[in-house]
Amino acid sequence: MKTVFVAILALSWSCLASATEQPFLPGPDIPDYVASVRIKLSHGPVVNEVRTYHGGWTRVDGGVDRNAYRSTSYFGPEGLIITFARDPSEREGHDWLHVMRGSGSAHLIRWGQNPFKTSDSEVVAGESCEVWNLSQAFLSSRARRLSCITPDGIELWSRVENDFTPGNSFEITSLERTRVERDAVRLPDGKLDLNSWLTTPPPENPPDPPGDVTVILQSTTVDIPFGVRTRTIRRHFPWTSTEDVKANSERTISFKNELQRLNIVFESDAAGQPIRLSIQKALRTFSYSSPPDSGHSEILGEACTIHQETGRESYSYDCVTADGLPLKAIETDLHERNNLVAVKLDRSPLALDVVMPPPELFRRRTWGIPD
């Protein structure tokens, strides 16, 4: 049974993977416009979106009709990407909000350091455009990422051309040059308000809550350049926070509210700058099965039950107390290996504000969003 933030991150980034890509902005003087866009996913259905642009900001409204999935993304200066999405399906059933900036959004930026015009031009949706080459270093030498841009900077289509698996592509099917109000392309205030996510009424007679606790786990592996060095778990029901500090000083902190079906994940880079925020609200209660018990142990004088799970490219081992505290955690996948064991367990009372997410995570200026 892996730590909760690992599962939340996997869901969050898989949701973003299907979101629209960062628009290509070759100049500062792009006029306001509203465009209908047809997107062909490399693996999946055709998706229709509406793109609205004003003053360096683009709002993208899209969805996949087959399961009523809906998303709205906001693209701002300096690689700022914000996505709000709802998937009401029985399999997922979540609302998401993702905020990314700086290195957190770099993998979604489609162009390299030196985009350039080719000699080709086209007419799309009644508009003339010039073809740009946006190829990035990670593309094969046989692949090109191309984009067709109007003389005043509106992107009419984009695609990857190669002789193997194609990437996502899109094309504007209709374009209206019209005045767009500033508020039409900015994230509404309530979406980044923690109180707007605390909407589930608590049960009238909640079960006996687990007690306050602090657990600190440390790595037993000497060479962990990309692994977790220290994990600190704090609980004051209904909130639990889990903070991972990597060897390179990157941090990931998750906050879980048991009664609200709410999970929040925050990431900062090695310099302490915020790069990602993910908020996930389950629309209904789900039951998740745990791997079967495979033994028992005792760590720091506390009994724990061992759970092991093996996947195609991953392995997890957890020794968990009766009240759900992991005292040993081994996690391996393609990207990193963590081998953590508890070095401190303290069941002293904790103040609620020590466990809850700090207010600055939800302030617009933290993410470069204008008021």
Side-chain angles (χ1 to χ4, degrees):
M1 181 177 65
K2 289 190 176 183
T3 313
V4 63
F5 78 86
V6 177
I8 302 306
L9 278 176
L11 285 169
S12 300
W13 309 145
S14 65
C15 174
L16 267 175
S18 63
T20 187
E21 295 173 310
Q22 170 87 338
F24 174 53
L25 304 177
D29 300 322
I30 303 172
D32 290 3
Y33 69 86
V34 178
S36 297
V37 182
R38 181 179 183 272
I39 295 179
K40 179 63 175 73
L41 302 178
S42 58
H43 301 286
V46 172
V47 180
N48 295 313
E49 294 182 343
V50 175
R51 299 189 177 187
T52 305
Y53 175 85
H54 169 79
W57 286 79
T58 304
R59 190 189 82 219
V60 180
D61 300 288
V64 179
D65 293 337
R66 64 180 180 179
N67 65 358
Y69 173 90
R70 289 291 180 269
S71 68
T72 300
S73 295
Y74 302 84
F75 297 89
E78 300 181 5
L80 176 64
I81 303 176
I82 308 163
T83 297
F84 176 77
R86 164 167 286 198
D87 184 347
S89 67
E90 291 298 322
R91 182 178 63 87
E92 297 290 352
H94 290 85
D95 282 345
W96 284 279
L97 178 70
H98 307 278
V99 184
M100 298 187 295
R101 61 178 297 186
S103 60
S105 63
H107 66 293
L108 294 178
I109 305 300
R110 293 184 290 113
W111 59 91
Q113 294 295 318
N114 299 296
F116 60 90
K117 289 182 184 180
T118 70
S119 59
D120 297 328
S121 62
E122 293 187 13
V123 175
V124 178
E127 297 271 352
S128 299
C129 60
E130 300 169 301
V131 179
W132 286 63
N133 189 321
L134 317 180
S135 296
Q136 299 144 308
F138 65 81
L139 288 176
S140 164
S141 59
R142 295 177 297 171
R144 298 189 304 166
R145 181 179 286 279
L146 302 177
S147 184
C148 206
I149 314 294
T150 65
D152 53 2
I154 300 174
E155 186 176 37
L156 299 184
W157 61 251
S158 178
R159 62 175 177 260
V160 173
E161 294 184 348
N162 55 45
D163 53 5
F164 47 97
T165 304
N168 296 351
S169 63
F170 82 84
E171 181 175 336
I172 284 180
T173 57
S174 68
L175 175 67
E176 181 182 6
R177 297 169 180 268
T178 184
R179 179 179 176 181
V180 174
E181 297 297 330
R182 175 182 178 275
D183 289 346
V185 294
R186 300 293 172 85
L187 179 74
D189 290 339
K191 297 298 185 186
L192 205 55
D193 181 0
L194 177 60
N195 288 329
S196 70
W197 296 85
L198 303 176
T199 58
T200 304
E204 294 183 4
N205 297 304
D208 292 336
D212 292 5
V213 68
T214 301
V215 181
I216 299 177
L217 299 93
Q218 289 185 347
S219 174
T220 62
T221 306
V222 176
D223 184 16
I224 52 165
F226 302 106
V228 176
R229 182 177 59 197
T230 303
R231 174 171 296 166
T232 303
I233 302 170
R234 297 180 178 92
R235 182 178 65 201
H236 178 106
F237 188 82
W239 288 95
T240 301
S241 69
T242 302
E243 179 180 17
D244 276 11
V245 181
K246 290 190 174 183
N248 63 356
S249 298
E250 294 178 353
R251 291 175 183 264
T252 301
I253 312 176
S254 75
F255 305 89
K256 180 178 182 180
N257 187 304
E258 298 284 353
L259 298 181
Q260 293 287 332
R261 304 193 300 267
L262 180 67
N263 289 280
I264 300 168
V265 180
F266 168 75
E267 291 186 62
S268 59
D269 61 18
Q273 295 299 309
I275 58 173
R276 290 192 183 105
L277 175 68
S278 176
I279 305 174
Q280 182 190 64
K281 173 86 170 184
L283 302 179
R284 61 189 67 87
T285 300
F286 296 93
S287 59
Y288 298 99
S289 59
S290 297
D293 298 354
S294 57
H296 300 272
S297 185
E298 183 176 296
I299 299 173
L300 298 179
E302 296 256 354
C304 57
T305 301
I306 298 170
H307 303 275
Q308 299 182 71
E309 187 172 16
T310 302
R312 289 184 58 185
E313 298 171 339
S314 64
Y315 168 76
S316 67
Y317 169 110
D318 292 273
C319 199
V320 183
T321 65
D323 60 344
L325 301 171
L327 301 183
K328 186 173 184 179
I330 301 174
E331 303 156 354
T332 65
D333 59 25
L334 290 175
H335 305 289
E336 63 183 52
R337 172 185 173 88
N338 296 317
N339 194 335
L340 302 164
V341 63
V343 296
K344 178 181 179 181
L345 191 152
D346 185 355
R347 294 187 178 274
S348 301
L350 290 172
L352 181 58
D353 60 0
V354 174
V355 183
M356 286 186 62
E360 55 264 27
L361 297 192
F362 309 97
R363 291 178 180 143
R364 297 168 76 88
R365 65 174 179 267
T366 299
W367 303 100
I369 305 172
D371 294 328

